[in-house]
Amino acid sequence: MAWRRRQRDAGNGGSSEFKAVAMASSYLPATADSIAQALEAKAPSEAISILYKILENPSSSSDALRIKEQAITNLSDLLRQENRAEDLRNLLTQLRPFFNLIPKAKTAKIVRGIIDTVAKIPGTAVLQISLCKEMVQWTRDEKRTFLRQRVEARLAALLMESKEYSEALNLLSGLVKEVRRLDDKLLLVDIDLLESKLHFSLRNLPKAKAALTAARTAANAIYVPPAQQGTIDLQSGILHAEEKDYKTAYSYFFEAFEAFNALEDSRAVYSLKYMLLCKIMVNQADDVTGVISSKAGLQYVGPELDAMKAVADAYSKRSLKLFETALGDFKGQLSEDPIVHRHLSSLYDTLLEQNLCRLIEPFSRVEIGHIAELIELPIDHVEKKLSQMILDKKFAGTLDQGAGCLVIFEDGKTDAIYPATLETLTNIGKVVDSLYVRSAKIMA
């Protein structure tokens, strides 16, 4: 290219038109050559500086605007690689005059793209919330309704992740009415789905299901991107699992996994993880290894699937010790995942009760310490669980805390003659009442 020849001449001590322009002003021409110079820069900081200079060019021709859009994309990527989240925030402020020169649809695309780029930088949750609030205010001032609604939806999602549920709910309640009035189906699906997640986080299952139903209804009226359909299926699986309908939940998780797997979305591994959880909860823990060993499962082998395999092994062997070990070894994948943790807590209690009932069955009186030694758990933990089981009438017995023993009562078998006698007397009473009514009619 002629520009590159001029650059070589300048590097060799010669003069060039491009160099003269660069020295005469603080900006660079908005041309493909300037973009190429940024791409060929040796250091990211140098490339960032060149791209900023391109954006400072006052030209508003169609070619210049197109080059500036490309410069914004490249600059956003470089700032993300350098983890310069604050600079990305300032970039949005600096670009406001530029937004007045381009169509609103392109403005929306750039703004949402930069917000998404900031989200890829770790530890920027507070900054993202602040940035979204700034952009909401700017869109209100500029009367850019389309963009404001989408930024507000993003802000609500960020507030939910930060556990500021009341603020997120207030924002969504106003937004959903506005979007329904405008009949923007695609955005309505996003908002209803977000509302379902929010109510689920607040443990309000009826409202979570209602919001999900609304999202499905809106989605049926339009074409929904595969990623969004996968998100709907994933949320459906989570709600069915919460209602202990694990077979239906498994089918939804499978649909979500297929969608995310085709898109190479990172959520595929979580869908697969919840599929394995459903297998364990319906007493099919032996199938877990087969699912992981399948062609699709082998792509996602890692800590998430290893954690579920460890739980499945512990459940198959009815071993509380292995269960505790799995919870300790994979704390991040099990205890810190609220969905898995909730179901595993229920599974752990069931497993503990089964083991305790099996251990105390041969005894009429046994030391609590001996049971704790057999089950390999702390004495206070075992004692607390036994008292709970007695109150729940899982078995008949009492705790002698003075002696540190558990006394098991024999099952008092009810004599069958008593309920049979009561049933006979009840039937006789019905016959007598019927005869009395008949006699009364005859006498009348």
Side-chain angles (χ1 to χ4, degrees):
M1 294 173 66
W3 176 80
R4 290 182 180 174
R5 286 199 300 273
R6 291 198 298 271
Q7 282 297 93
R8 284 198 298 271
D9 292 341
N12 293 328
S15 61
S16 72
E17 181 185 348
F18 183 86
K19 187 175 181 182
V21 172
M23 292 176 66
S25 63
S26 61
Y27 60 82
L28 294 176
T31 62
D33 288 342
S34 299
I35 295 289
Q37 184 187 6
L39 295 175
E40 291 171 2
K42 293 181 179 179
S45 57
E46 183 184 349
I48 289 170
S49 176
I50 293 170
L51 291 169
Y52 270 121
K53 288 180 179 180
I54 294 172
L55 294 178
E56 289 168 7
N57 190 301
S59 175
S60 58
S61 66
S62 59
D63 288 340
L65 293 177
R66 180 176 53 80
I67 292 297
K68 286 181 182 180
E69 288 175 31
Q70 188 178 348
I72 291 168
T73 303
N74 294 343
L75 182 58
S76 299
D77 291 339
L78 285 170
L79 291 175
R80 178 184 61 80
Q81 291 169 17
E82 296 293 303
N83 289 335
R84 291 165 61 173
E86 195 63 45
D87 287 345
L88 281 166
R89 176 183 185 171
N90 295 332
L91 177 63
L92 267 181
T93 305
Q94 294 166 14
L95 289 174
R96 288 179 185 179
F98 172 72
F99 292 150
N100 293 325
L101 303 174
I102 62 176
K104 289 185 177 181
K106 284 189 176 180
T107 298
K109 183 180 178 182
I110 292 172
V111 170
R112 293 168 67 189
I114 293 177
I115 292 174
D116 290 340
T117 303
V118 174
K120 294 176 183 177
I121 301 175
T124 57
V126 176
L127 178 65
Q128 289 178 64
I129 291 173
S130 175
L131 176 59
C132 286
K133 287 180 178 178
E134 282 181 13
M135 292 311 299
V136 166
Q137 187 57 50
W138 177 74
T139 51
R140 285 186 186 280
D141 296 339
E142 295 289 322
K143 293 182 172 57
R144 295 175 182 255
T145 305
F146 176 85
L147 178 57
R148 175 181 58 78
Q149 290 170 347
R150 278 149 183 78
V151 176
E152 281 186 338
R154 181 60 177 269
L155 176 59
L158 290 168
L159 290 170
M160 184 184 72
E161 289 173 8
S162 300
K163 298 185 178 180
E164 296 178 28
Y165 299 125
S166 58
E167 189 177 351
L169 201 55
N170 290 336
L171 183 61
L172 278 182
S173 60
L175 185 59
V176 73
K177 292 176 185 175
E178 185 180 346
V179 174
R180 278 188 180 140
R181 221 169 27 244
L182 295 173
D183 201 30
D184 187 344
K185 298 285 189 186
L186 191 58
L187 181 57
L188 192 59
V189 172
D190 287 335
I191 294 171
D192 285 333
L193 193 54
L194 184 58
E195 190 177 6
S196 177
K197 293 177 181 178
L198 184 57
H199 284 303
F200 177 74
S201 300
L202 292 169
R203 312 296 303 136
N204 191 336
L205 289 182
K207 285 191 175 182
K209 289 173 65 179
L212 181 63
T213 302
R216 283 192 170 281
T217 303
N220 288 336
I222 57 169
Y223 169 75
V224 177
Q228 188 71 310
Q229 186 60 52
T231 307
I232 293 173
D233 289 333
L234 183 61
Q235 182 67 9
S236 299
I238 291 170
L239 292 181
H240 278 284
E242 192 68 22
E243 294 180 325
K244 312 296 183 187
D245 186 1
Y246 294 110
K247 289 186 177 180
T248 306
Y250 179 88
S251 65
Y252 277 118
F253 287 138
F254 181 74
E255 293 290 338
F257 171 73
E258 284 197 322
F260 293 141
N261 184 44
L263 297 169
E264 297 183 356
D265 192 305
S266 59
R267 288 175 290 179
V269 68
Y270 295 103
S271 302
L272 183 56
K273 177 182 177 182
Y274 300 149
M275 284 168 58
L276 300 179
L277 174 67
C278 291
K279 284 288 186 184
I280 296 169
M281 297 304 292
V282 295
N283 201 23
Q284 294 178 359
D286 295 338
D287 295 346
V288 168
T289 304
V291 174
I292 294 174
S293 303
S294 65
K295 183 179 178 180
L298 289 173
Q299 299 177 44
Y300 300 97
V301 170
E304 301 290 347
L305 300 192
D306 290 343
M308 299 313 297
K309 188 174 186 301
V311 171
D313 289 342
Y315 185 77
S316 296
K317 296 174 182 176
R318 304 288 177 183
S319 171
L320 283 170
K321 185 176 181 181
L322 289 176
F323 203 105
E324 294 271 8
T325 303
L327 291 175
D329 292 345
F330 299 98
K331 186 176 180 181
Q333 290 75 28
L334 301 176
S335 301
E336 294 178 9
D337 186 327
I339 296 166
V340 173
H341 177 67
R342 190 175 296 117
H343 295 290
L344 288 188
S345 297
S346 171
L347 186 67
Y348 178 81
D349 285 342
T350 303
L351 198 57
L352 179 57
E353 288 176 3
Q354 289 175 353
N355 275 268
L356 286 173
C357 288
R358 180 170 53 82
L359 288 173
I360 65 176
E361 189 176 4
F363 302 101
S364 59
R365 183 182 179 91
V366 60
E367 291 184 355
I368 298 172
H370 180 61
I371 298 174
E373 184 180 341
L374 290 174
I375 207 168
E376 298 179 326
L377 288 175
I379 293 178
D380 57 340
H381 188 170
V382 173
E383 185 176 354
K384 182 179 178 182
K385 189 62 184 177
L386 286 171
S387 64
Q388 182 184 339
M389 290 171 68
I390 291 170
L391 291 173
D392 292 342
K393 297 183 179 180
K394 297 292 175 68
F395 68 91
T398 185
L399 289 172
D400 185 347
Q401 291 183 314
C405 292
L406 170 69
V407 180
I408 299 99
F409 302 146
E410 290 186 9
D411 290 337
K413 294 182 180 179
T414 305
D415 197 331
I417 193 171
Y418 297 115
T421 303
L422 287 172
E423 186 180 356
T424 302
L425 290 173
T426 301
N427 291 333
I428 291 172
K430 291 178 181 178
V431 171
V432 171
D433 291 341
S434 176
L435 290 172
Y436 175 77
V437 172
R438 284 188 179 186
S439 65
K441 287 181 179 178
I442 293 170
M443 294 296 293

